[in-house]
Each structure stands twice: as structure tokens, then as C-alpha cells.
């Protein structure tokens, strides 16, 4: 809706002008309307007086009096923070207790159940073992077939033909594997500095 | 030491809070230094009693700093602090209103002698003695006019035009709808214009 130049300023429009936005339509009205002109001048003066009020200063030693009653945080480990959070509110305590109980409960239930159903477990175990063995054979067979069909199979075979060459290749592969493991461990290690702020 | 203090000065509130949470006492002290004057000024203007304002300011900082771990960093630290301070003031004024009501049967929250107990700290800006007297007189008049506003108008107008907070921030700090905050501020400005009309020359 278009604002008429004849309308008096609304409180929101006065705010707008006080904040430094003075649209032409408002300016035109204020210039022609003594009521809005004096209202705006009065508001400006009040705002100016308020913003010029000085800050009051508390008595000397305020900072020390506050600090005497403040307990400075001791940085905690991630585990301690987790424990602190779990015990912080009644809700978090209830949730933590629920989680612990359900883990303990399911552990106990599975132990009790396995004690009462040994023969079922044994037959299940045999079936599982047979399936795993069959699957293993299929995989090994498939891999071997694929390997033999590779064009580089002949030369690779020649490479490990003698016991000395075989030992050399095996040594090389072991070193590469060990180096890879070391690198991985370094990459996934957590930087020590982040522990103190982990809860933020 | 001076270098470390200067480094702390340059940090944002959020960064100082992180240091405080990491257990650094100097970060706590920095937060007190940053806000002791604005918080004390707000509370002094709300309750009109120096000693009481000092107690409430202390309460505010002690409460905030002891709960620094529960402060949510997505919220402005100063808003959080002002919210605690304002709650302390409003609680006190409500209690006092109840006491006055039961003792004297009067609903007025602010006593006249408390209103008179205003002392401004002005200086260090190169004013002449006459400037200071005039500023003190003007300042005193304005402080007395603010004291006559309803407490909820007072909190809003102080946060808006003395501390320069945005309407939305005030609404969040005082747990009030945005429209209510605007209305309170407009009414407070009207009241002040009326109360201070004799100063316009
Ligand atoms: Zn008009």
C-alpha cells in the first residue's frame, strides 16, 4: 500500500527516521506538518540525551569481589565431560541410567538365553560354519580363476619362481603394509589441544 | 604480562568465553572488566540505589560466570549477561513492591528519596566547571525522569537508547514479544518528552 504524504508519522516511521532512514515521503510530510515536526524534534532530543548519559562506575575492587565468589572451571577430559553432562540434569541422569540399564539388561538376557539354549547355539554354529566354509571356497575359487586369466599372471609368476625372489617380494609387501599402518595411526590420532574445549 | 593482557583485549567475547571455559582466570576477569560498567549502570538506573545495584551486579556476574559452561555460544554473551541482570532487577522490584504493599498498602515501587539518590560520574572529557554543572543538572533531570517510568518501560528504553541494543535483541533478553517492546519504547519516549518538556529551549 502506498503511503500518503498527508498521513501523520506512525511510531514505527518515527523509529525509522531516528535510525537515520528518512524517506522523501516522510520528509515532505514533516516539512509541511508542524505537529509531526515538533514531535520528531522532541523525540530526537530525548534520544540524544539518553545516548549521552554517562556510565556509572561500581566501587573500586568490584572485579575482585566477583572473582572471590566465582569457581574457575577446571578443564576436563572428554570422558569426564561426558560423565558431567550425563549427571547434569534429572533428564540426562534418567537417560544415562536408562542406557546403562538397557545395555546391562540385554547382556544378562543374552547370557541367560545362551545358557538355556546350548544345543540350538551348537547347531546354529555348525550351520554357520558350513555356510562360511562354502562361501570361502566360492570366493577363493573365483579369485584364483580371475587371477590366472590376467595377462600379467605369467610374468608375476616368473617373479616369485625361485625361493630367493619370493622372500624378496614378501619382504617388500610387509614393509609397505607396516608403513601404511603407521601412517593411518598418525592420521586418526586426536590432537591433544581440542580436549579442553570439546564440549563447546 | 602486559602483552598477554593486550592480546586478551583484542579477542571477541566468544573467544574470551572459550578461554574461560578452558580454565583461564584472566579470561573471567576480562569479561568482568568489559561489562561491569554497563551492567552496573543498567541496574543502578533500574533500582535507584547504589549499594543494591552493586549487590545485584555482583550477583549477575557470579551467576553468569559460574554457569559459563552452560552458556550457549550462538547467543550473544552480552545479551545473556544483560538478561540475567534484568531478571535480577525485575525480581528485586517485584519483591520490593510486595513488601511495600504489605507494609503500607501502597503499590508504588519507587520511593521519592531513592529517586533523589542519584550521583553521576562525569569528567575526564575536558569539560569546563560550568559544563560539568550543567551536564550534572541535565543528567540529574534525565535520571529522575527515567526513574519515574514503569520498570518494564525503563528496562526497554535503557537497553534501546542508552546501551544501543536492537529491538529484536531486547525482545529476546526480556522474553517479550517484539511488538510489546516497540510499544514500551514508544510510550517511554512519550513519557520522557512530557517529563522533560521544561528542558527544551
Ligand atoms: Zn503530521
Amino acid at each position: 500500500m502506498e503511503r500518503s504524504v498527508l498521513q501523520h508519522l506512525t511510531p514505527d516511521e518515527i523509529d525509522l527516521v531516528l535510525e537515520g532512514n528518512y524517506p522523501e515521503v516522510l520528509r515532505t510530510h514533516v516539512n509541511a506538518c508542524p505537529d509531526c515536526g515538533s514531535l520528531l524534534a522532541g523525540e530526537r532530543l530525548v534520544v540524544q540525551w539518553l545516548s549521552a548519559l554517562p556510565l556509572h562506575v561500581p566501587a573500586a575492587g568490584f572485579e575482585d569481589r566477583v572473582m572471590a565468589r566465582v569457581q574457575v572451571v577446571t578443564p576436563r577430559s572428554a570422558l569426564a565431560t561426558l560423565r558431567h553432562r550425563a549427571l547434569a540434569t534429572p533428564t540426562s541422569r534418567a537417560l544415562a541410567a536408562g542406557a546403562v540399564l538397557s545395555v546391562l539388561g540385554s547382556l544378562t538376557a543374552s547370557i541367560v538365553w545362551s545358557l538355556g539354549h546350548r544345543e540350538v547355539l551348537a547347531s546354529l554354529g555348525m550351520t554357520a560354519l558350513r555356510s562360511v566354509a562354502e562361501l570361502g571356497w566360492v570366493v577363493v575359487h573365483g579369485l584364483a580363476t580371475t587371477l590366472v586369466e590376467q595377462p600379467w599372471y605369467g610374468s608375476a609368476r616368473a617373479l616369485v619362481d625361485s625361493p630367493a625372489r619370493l622372500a624378496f617380494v614378501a619382504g617388500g609387501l610387509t614393509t609397505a603394509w607396516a608403513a601404511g599402518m603407521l601412517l593411518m595411526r598418525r592420521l586418526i590420532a586426536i590432537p591433544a589441544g581440542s580436549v579442553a574445549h570439546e564440549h563447546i | 604480562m602486559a602483552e598477554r593482557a593486550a592480546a586478551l583485549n583484542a579477542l571477541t567475547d566468544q573467544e574470551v568465553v572459550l578461554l574461560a571455559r578452558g580454565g583461564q582466570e584472566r579470561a573471567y576477569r576480562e569479561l568482568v572488566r568489559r561489562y561491569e560498567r554497563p551492567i552496573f549502570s543498567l541496574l543502578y538506573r533500574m533500582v535507584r540505589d547504589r549499594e543494591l545495584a552493586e549487590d545485584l551486579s555482583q550477583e549477575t556476574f557470579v551467576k553468569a560466570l559460574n554457569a559459563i559452561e552452560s552458556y550457549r555460544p550462538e547467543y550473544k554473551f552480552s545479551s545473556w549477561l544483560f538478561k540475567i541482570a534484568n531478571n535480577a532487577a525485575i525480581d528485586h522490584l517485584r519483591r520490593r513492591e510486595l513488601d511495600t504493599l504489605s507494609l503500607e498498602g501502597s503499590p508504588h515501587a519507587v520511593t521519592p528519596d531513592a529517586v533523589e539518590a542519584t550521583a553521576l560520574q562525569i569528567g575526564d572529557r575536558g569539560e569546563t566547571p560550568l559544563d560539568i554543572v550543567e551536564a550534572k543538572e541535565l543528567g540529574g533531570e534525565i535520571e529522575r525522569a527515567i526513574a519515574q517510568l514503569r520498570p518494564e518501560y525503563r528496562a526497554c528504553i535503557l537497553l534501546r537508547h542508552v546501551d544501543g541494543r536492537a529491538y529484536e535483541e531486547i525482545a529476546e533478553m526480556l522474553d517479550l514479544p517484539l511488538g510489546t517492546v516497540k510499544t514500551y519504547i514508544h510510550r517511554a519516549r512519550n513519557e520522557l518528552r512530557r517529563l522533560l518538556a521544561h528542558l527544551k529551549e
Side-chain angles (χ1 to χ4, degrees):
Chain A
M1 200 184 72
E2 193 71 1
R3 190 207 190 278
S4 158
V5 83
L6 299 173
Q7 269 175 277
H8 290 307
L9 264 61
T10 65
D12 282 342
E13 286 170 339
I14 291 176
D15 275 334
L16 207 66
V17 178
L18 291 176
E19 282 160 18
N21 300 311
Y22 209 165
E24 202 45 49
V25 63
L26 299 188
R27 196 186 294 271
T28 311
H29 175 84
V30 172
N31 287 340
C33 173
D35 287 350
C36 284
S38 93
L39 175 69
L40 194 58
E43 293 274 73
R44 272 209 176 106
L45 203 54
V46 166
V47 169
Q48 194 187 316
W49 282 335
L50 288 173
S51 54
L53 281 178
L55 285 175
H56 293 286
V57 186
F62 179 81
E63 185 187 317
D64 290 327
R65 285 194 297 282
V66 168
M67 287 311 294
R69 296 173 55 200
V70 169
Q71 180 94 45
V72 174
V73 172
T74 337
R76 277 192 292 252
S77 67
L79 190 67
T81 306
L82 190 68
R83 197 167 54 221
H84 172 82
R85 281 198 179 175
L87 300 177
T89 64
T91 320
S92 65
R93 274 197 291 275
L95 279 175
V100 170
L101 280 180
S102 61
V103 168
L104 285 181
S106 52
L107 265 178
T108 317
S110 59
I111 290 170
V112 169
W113 187 87
S114 16
L115 285 177
H117 297 79
R118 278 186 216 177
E119 68 300 338
V120 178
L121 275 179
S123 73
L124 269 179
M126 284 313 289
T127 317
L129 210 61
R130 218 175 298 131
S131 312
V132 167
E134 275 167 16
L135 185 69
W137 171 243
V138 170
V139 168
V140 169
H141 187 257
L143 279 177
T145 317
T146 317
L147 187 69
V148 171
E149 281 165 0
Q150 294 304 312
W152 44 263
Y153 176 74
S155 39
R157 207 177 151 176
L159 194 69
V160 292
D161 240 0
S162 76
R165 278 195 198 158
L166 182 62
F168 180 75
V169 170
L173 286 175
T174 311
T175 316
W177 175 78
M181 286 302 282
L182 272 176
L183 194 69
M184 291 282 284
R185 288 188 64 158
R186 291 215 125 195
L187 282 177
I188 60 172
I190 301 161
S194 69
V195 172
H197 307 315
E198 67 74 41
H199 51 281
I200 297 161
Chain B
M1 189 64 205
E3 247 173 60
R4 288 180 80 191
L8 213 52
N9 271 342
L11 298 180
T12 64
D13 284 355
Q14 309 297 66
E15 289 165 334
V16 179
V17 168
L18 289 189
L19 291 179
R21 283 177 160 188
Q24 296 202 23
E25 191 187 325
R26 65 193 187 104
Y28 283 78
R29 289 183 176 273
E30 173 67 19
L31 293 171
V32 178
R33 276 195 294 272
R34 278 185 193 190
Y35 290 106
E36 59 183 351
R37 290 180 183 207
I39 290 288
F40 176 71
S41 300
L42 175 78
L43 286 168
Y44 187 20
R45 289 182 172 124
M46 287 294 288
V47 301
R48 316 296 305 160
D49 177 321
R50 235 192 129 74
E51 221 170 294
L52 180 61
E54 181 122 9
D55 285 349
L56 293 176
S57 305
Q58 254 194 59
E59 285 304 322
T60 300
F61 280 102
V62 169
K63 199 170 178 180
L65 296 180
N66 277 334
I68 197 92
E69 285 187 291
S70 67
Y71 157 69
R72 299 203 323 270
E74 67 269 20
Y75 207 66
K76 233 170 133 180
F77 178 77
S78 61
S79 300
W80 188 55
L81 204 57
F82 274 95
K83 185 179 190 144
I84 296 174
N86 183 71
N87 284 343
I90 295 290
D91 278 355
H92 170 81
L93 292 173
R94 279 199 191 122
R95 268 202 311 274
R96 188 160 73 181
E97 199 170 336
L98 279 179
D99 289 349
T100 318
L101 204 61
S102 57
L103 284 175
E104 299 163 17
S106 155
H108 297 297
V110 181
T111 56
D113 52 332
V115 172
E116 283 304 312
T118 309
L120 285 174
Q121 312 254 347
I122 298 174
D124 300 335
R125 288 198 204 154
E127 300 101 328
T128 65
L130 187 64
D131 285 341
I132 293 173
V133 169
E134 279 179 356
K136 262 193 177 167
E137 279 171 5
L138 179 62
E141 294 265 10
I142 297 164
E143 299 272 7
R144 273 188 288 279
I146 294 171
Q148 290 180 51
L149 299 173
R150 282 167 51 172
E152 50 274 45
Y153 288 7
R154 218 184 298 163
C156 284
I157 196 94
L158 288 171
L159 289 168
R160 176 75 189 108
H161 292 302
V162 180
D163 289 301
R165 308 268 158 187
Y167 282 122
E168 291 77 10
E169 206 184 340
I170 299 171
E172 204 166 72
M173 276 186 214
L174 306 185
D175 281 327
L176 289 173
L178 185 60
T180 307
V181 169
K182 285 188 175 180
T183 307
Y184 283 2
I185 290 173
H186 297 155
R187 287 188 189 158
R189 278 204 310 252
N190 273 340
E191 277 287 287
L192 290 178
R193 256 192 308 117
R194 189 179 60 76
L195 291 166
L196 299 169
H198 62 285
L199 295 176
K200 281 197 284 179
E201 268 130 38

